[in-house]
């Protein structure tokens, strides 16, 4: 299922270099962590990882080829993902301010909804499927079945990305308490997260290369 050791090591090294570079996924996860805490950040990582793997499966099955030849399909999915990011950002901005002694409203939000948000944000990024279609074939063994190898390498890449994302969650969770010692800081933390989501949506809409 996996290529030769030399190719696999090269793939892992390249994947680490790519996933350690902050991109929209990292911004999204860090924003969640700062605004809502480590648990929500971790759940977001799991949702993003599953969404990324869904794109890897799509690339393996030819979805990336469809996007490459159909501008309409690419545009529809791109705008759907951008609209969803903006929607999440507006939700964060509209969250009412906290009063002294009032528990954080974010803690009442179901974790399954946070997982779903991460999954949808990652899955509705057609550039991820195109990235997998361009990146993964560089490390295929010509003597093995391409479909199986792409799925296996996609799973490895998503696992590496999840590990580096968890590192960012840990760092963000250390910073977050300092930002939320007062209710006013917590409000601005939510607004910062909301602005990040809206910005990511606009970047996706205008076609800026997203990174990871």
């Amino acid at each position: 299922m996996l290529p030769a050791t030399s190719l696999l090591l090269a793939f892992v090294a390249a994947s680490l270099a790519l996933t350690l570079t902050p991109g929209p996924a990292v911004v999204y996860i860090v924003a969640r962590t700062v605004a809502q805490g480590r648990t929500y950040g971790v759940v977001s990582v799991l949702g993003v990882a599953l969404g990324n793997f869904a794109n890897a499966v799509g690339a393996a099955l030819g979805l990336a080829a469809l996007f490459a030849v159909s501008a309409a399909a690419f545009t529809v999915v791109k705008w759907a993902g951008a609209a969803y990011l903006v929607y999440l950002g507006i939700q964060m901005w509209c969250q009412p301010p906290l009063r002294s002694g009032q528990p954080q409203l974010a803690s009442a939000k179901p974790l399954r909804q946070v997982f779903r948000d991460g999954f949808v944000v990652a899955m509705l990024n057609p550039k991820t499927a195109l990235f997998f279609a361009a990146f993964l074939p560089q490390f295929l063994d010509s003597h093995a079945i391409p479909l199986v190898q792409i799925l296996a390498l996609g799973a490895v890449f998503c696992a590496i990305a999840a590990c580096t994302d968890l590192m960012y969650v840990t760092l963000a969770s250390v910073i977050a308490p300092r930002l939320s010692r007062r209710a006013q800081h917590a409000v601005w933390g939510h607004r910062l997260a909301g602005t990040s989501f809206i910005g990511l949506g606009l970047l996706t809409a205008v076609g800026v290369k997203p990174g990871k």
Side-chain angles (χ1 to χ4, degrees):
M1 294 180 64
L2 293 172
T5 303
S6 58
L7 276 177
L8 181 59
L9 290 176
F11 174 77
V12 170
S15 298
L16 277 173
L18 288 169
T19 57
L20 284 172
T21 303
V26 171
V27 175
Y28 172 82
I29 291 163
V30 168
R32 276 288 190 197
T33 305
V34 171
Q36 299 176 301
R38 180 182 299 180
T39 299
Y40 286 83
V42 171
V43 173
S44 294
V45 169
L46 297 177
V48 167
L50 185 59
N52 284 336
F53 184 69
N55 272 309
V57 173
L61 297 178
L63 183 58
L66 172 64
F67 285 151
V69 299
S70 174
F74 183 90
T75 301
V76 167
V77 177
K78 181 182 74 171
W79 279 97
Y84 193 76
L85 282 168
V86 172
Y87 166 75
L88 292 178
I90 293 174
Q91 272 196 327
M92 297 295 290
W93 261 92
C94 292
Q95 205 165 47
L98 301 176
R99 297 178 181 177
S100 179
Q102 179 184 358
Q104 288 196 15
L105 297 178
S107 60
K109 190 174 184 179
L111 290 176
R112 64 178 179 275
Q113 184 177 343
V114 176
F115 178 88
R116 181 203 65 192
D117 290 345
F119 174 77
V120 172
V121 165
M123 188 181 66
L124 289 182
N125 185 357
K127 292 183 180 180
T128 304
L130 290 173
F131 163 77
F132 281 129
F135 178 67
L136 298 182
Q138 310 303 319
F139 301 93
L140 298 182
D141 188 333
S142 59
H143 300 292
I145 302 174
L147 176 61
V148 175
Q149 284 188 93
I150 290 177
L151 290 175
L153 290 176
V156 172
F157 181 90
C158 292
I160 293 173
C163 290
T164 57
D165 288 344
L166 288 174
M167 178 192 70
Y168 281 109
V169 167
T170 301
L171 293 175
S173 65
V174 172
I175 299 173
R178 300 179 183 179
L179 299 177
S180 58
R181 285 175 181 171
R182 297 179 182 180
Q184 183 180 7
H185 291 170
V187 170
W188 283 106
H190 283 81
R191 290 179 178 176
L192 176 62
T195 301
S196 299
F197 294 164
I198 293 172
L200 290 177
L202 294 177
L203 286 175
T204 302
V206 299
V208 175
K209 187 176 180 180
K212 182 169 76 72

